[in-house]
Amino acid sequence: MTPDWTPLDAELALWAAEGLTLPLWWRDDDAVTTTPQLDQLTALAEDLDLPVHLAVIPAGAETALADHVAAHPHLVPVVHGWAHQNHAPATEKKAEFRAHRPLPEILAEAGQGKARLQALFGAALRPMFVPPWNRITPEVASGLPALGFRALSTATPRRNPMAAPGLAQVNTHLDPIDWRGSRGLMSPQNLIAQTATLLADRREGRADATEPFGILTHHLVHDDEIWQFTRALLTRLLAGPSQPWTMPPEEIQQ
């Protein structure tokens, strides 16, 4: 069944009528090497002419991935934790960068991750930290600027533009995967309604309209339905009053 895009189209029409512009960005998590799925992600980013921020797991990152990124400027590497290893007890949600270990040890891994990816990607690496499972404690976030990070990306609309002094918060807002159920595509109608609601919240002042609106994907686990919906959603957003956003190489833009 073809999804009914009317709710999103109507909301985008209101944005256009009010002269508003939606800053739009794209993050894709868990890259370590080249795969057919990465090729598909690359082709989609190039077809849409929309950069995709590739959250790379430093401990497993391979030279082949760096070579691929160097050949495809639509791929923008950022730091995805260290090893994507859960350190939380069984009674808590998975996390690598919450306070389950001494703070110096946690920050050392964040710095190690940035150093390793700088060695692989050079100037292409952007100073953004993406904690696995989108979970991080304020104490860890506060230590990231001293390591050279300028942005933190987790999930849901940000409460403040800055996660800590010197560290901008740039989150993702929509993930099409049904992680708690089928692990396939969530109901397209629910996703369309959710997107329209998120944009209405911005337009009507209930959420920060200046935060880049983030689409989160995970190319390694996509099936055809997820790929098709992602393409359709991004195409529609780009056709509306949107402005693609990319993390700057050095300083975050406010």
Side-chain angles (χ1 to χ4, degrees):
M1 180 181 296
T2 303
D4 177 10
W5 292 91
T6 303
L8 180 57
D9 290 343
E11 180 59 31
L12 289 171
L14 290 172
W15 276 68
E18 295 182 22
L20 302 174
T21 301
L22 178 69
L24 177 67
W25 81 296
W26 182 7
R27 196 187 97 203
D28 186 279
D29 288 1
D30 303 342
V32 290
T33 191
T34 53
T35 62
Q37 296 96 324
L38 181 65
D39 290 339
Q40 194 164 357
L41 179 74
T42 305
L44 180 56
E46 292 175 345
D47 287 349
L48 296 173
D49 193 20
L50 179 66
V52 54
H53 294 72
L54 200 62
V56 180
I57 302 172
E62 298 183 3
T63 302
L65 179 62
D67 293 341
H68 183 83
V69 167
H72 298 280
H74 280 81
L75 302 181
V76 180
V78 298
V79 181
H80 195 25
W82 167 242
H84 212 297
Q85 180 179 355
N86 177 33
H87 293 282
T91 55
E92 297 184 23
K93 292 182 178 180
K94 292 180 179 179
E96 186 176 36
F97 282 86
R98 300 192 77 176
H100 301 113
R101 299 175 289 155
L103 183 60
E105 178 183 338
I106 298 172
L107 290 174
E109 284 194 351
Q112 187 177 357
K114 186 172 185 290
R116 183 156 199 278
L117 294 192
Q118 280 182 325
L120 280 174
F121 296 105
L125 183 71
R126 305 301 166 93
M128 173 182 282
F129 189 77
V130 179
W133 299 286
N134 291 306
R135 298 186 183 113
I136 190 169
T137 54
E139 297 84 357
V140 177
S142 294
L144 294 177
L147 302 174
F149 290 103
R150 296 293 173 260
L152 172 68
S153 181
T154 57
T156 72
R158 68 187 182 188
R159 296 182 180 180
N160 296 294
M162 305 301 289
L167 189 71
Q169 186 85 49
V170 185
N171 286 349
T172 59
H173 305 90
L174 192 82
D175 182 341
I177 298 178
D178 182 11
W179 291 106
R180 297 181 181 178
S182 67
R183 299 181 73 85
L185 180 67
M186 291 182 66
S187 162
Q189 288 309 138
N190 289 347
L191 289 168
I192 292 168
Q194 183 181 350
T195 306
T197 297
L198 288 166
L199 297 191
D201 286 345
R202 289 165 171 250
R203 180 174 53 82
E204 296 175 357
R206 292 184 296 274
D208 185 350
T210 66
E211 180 184 17
F213 183 72
I215 304 299
L216 174 60
T217 57
H218 293 74
H219 67 280
L220 291 172
V221 298
H222 284 195
D223 58 21
D224 287 341
E225 283 188 322
I226 297 171
W227 283 117
Q228 290 169 12
F229 181 84
T230 299
R231 177 185 286 273
L233 174 64
L234 289 172
T235 298
R236 227 161 190 100
L237 291 173
L238 287 167
S242 299
Q243 177 64 49
W245 179 88
T246 306
M247 172 73 198
E250 295 297 334
E251 296 295 331
I252 191 77
Q253 292 177 346
Q254 295 298 315

